[in-house]
Amino acid sequence: MRIRPAGAHALLLDCSAPADVAQVALVDAWRAELWRRRERGELTAVEIVPAASTVLLDGLPDPTATAQLLSRWAPTVSAAVNDAEGAAERMRERESGEVVVPVVFDGPDLPAVAEHWGTDLPAVLRRLTGTPFRVAFCGFAPGFPYLTGLPAELALPRLATPRPRVPAGSVALAGPYAGIYPSASPGGWLLVGRTELVLFDVHADPPARLGPGTRVRMAAA
């Protein structure tokens, strides 16, 4: 892991996973470790923000001292070795409970997903409703969750030409992730369904319904 300054009061942890460790799982292990350290009073940070390969710590009173602490800490990497779910089970005390997302599976790209996976539509739906997803991080748009849980061999390419407008609530797949569009926007992910669940509300606390660490299960509506 590399620790880099990011402004006057922030540090960026650049996580480089060993060959036998899934990078997204290693990032999540660091996120959970930092959350636990902050709750115990061992770390002072206003924000801990995970991404695909980094974790940002913002609002640090002394970034230099924090970097020295980080160099001595390490998450339990064994839980992240090809098993993000194993890490999740040990983090239950901090993570929110499972959120069931009702989905109408009528997306226009379902046939393409079935073709990529070498199966039929019922099998795609069984895979999506039977997978225990977790929010690795949020990005792209406020409240957009990047959900992990699908096997790496089922990673999907994005559309060659993005759609100019994807409706809010669209459930989609791209790369190793599943995601849900919180608002209408352009997008190049493969659309498999839609949900009425509100994912982002500026008046809620927290505004994002599905924050990092949240366990998610899709259910056919």
Side-chain angles (χ1 to χ4, degrees):
M1 181 195 69
R2 291 187 299 167
I3 304 171
R4 296 183 289 179
H9 299 286
L11 294 171
L12 187 69
L13 281 64
D14 191 348
C15 302
S16 298
D20 60 345
V21 176
Q23 182 163 272
V24 68
L26 184 59
V27 170
D28 189 70
W30 267 109
R31 172 198 59 79
E33 178 73 12
L34 295 171
W35 275 1
R36 285 195 295 265
R37 297 278 186 176
R38 183 169 63 178
E39 288 179 346
R40 295 172 184 170
E42 300 171 14
L43 171 67
T44 301
V46 176
E47 297 285 351
I48 299 173
V49 185
S53 61
T54 61
V55 181
L56 176 71
L57 281 74
D58 198 3
L60 303 174
D62 189 340
T64 301
T66 301
Q68 292 173 351
L69 287 174
L70 291 171
S71 66
R72 299 195 295 268
W73 294 344
T76 306
V77 177
S78 61
V81 177
N82 293 325
D83 185 10
E85 287 306 313
E89 289 301 315
R90 294 202 324 277
M91 303 168 193
R92 289 179 184 271
E93 71 279 2
R94 177 60 179 85
E95 295 168 354
S96 22
E98 181 182 73
V99 175
V100 177
V101 179
V103 180
V104 177
F105 288 101
D106 60 356
D109 298 320
L110 274 172
V113 172
E115 182 178 355
H116 278 292
W117 288 357
T119 188
D120 55 18
L121 295 184
V124 171
L125 269 57
R126 287 194 298 270
R127 168 70 72 175
L128 294 176
T129 56
T131 296
F133 290 102
R134 292 184 64 254
V135 181
F137 57 94
C138 294
F140 171 64
F144 187 103
Y146 284 74
L147 306 173
T148 59
L150 291 171
E153 62 268 21
L154 297 185
L156 293 163
R158 288 170 170 78
L159 296 175
T161 302
R163 292 180 171 91
R165 186 180 187 278
V166 175
S170 294
V171 178
L173 306 174
Y177 302 108
I180 308 173
Y181 286 77
S183 57
S185 69
W189 290 35
L190 302 182
L191 305 184
V192 296
R194 52 192 167 87
T195 181
E196 297 296 326
L197 186 70
V198 176
L199 295 188
F200 189 80
D201 181 355
V202 294
H203 301 294
D205 185 17
R209 180 68 180 85
L210 302 179
T214 303
R215 291 175 289 128
V216 175
R217 180 170 60 86
M218 296 185 190

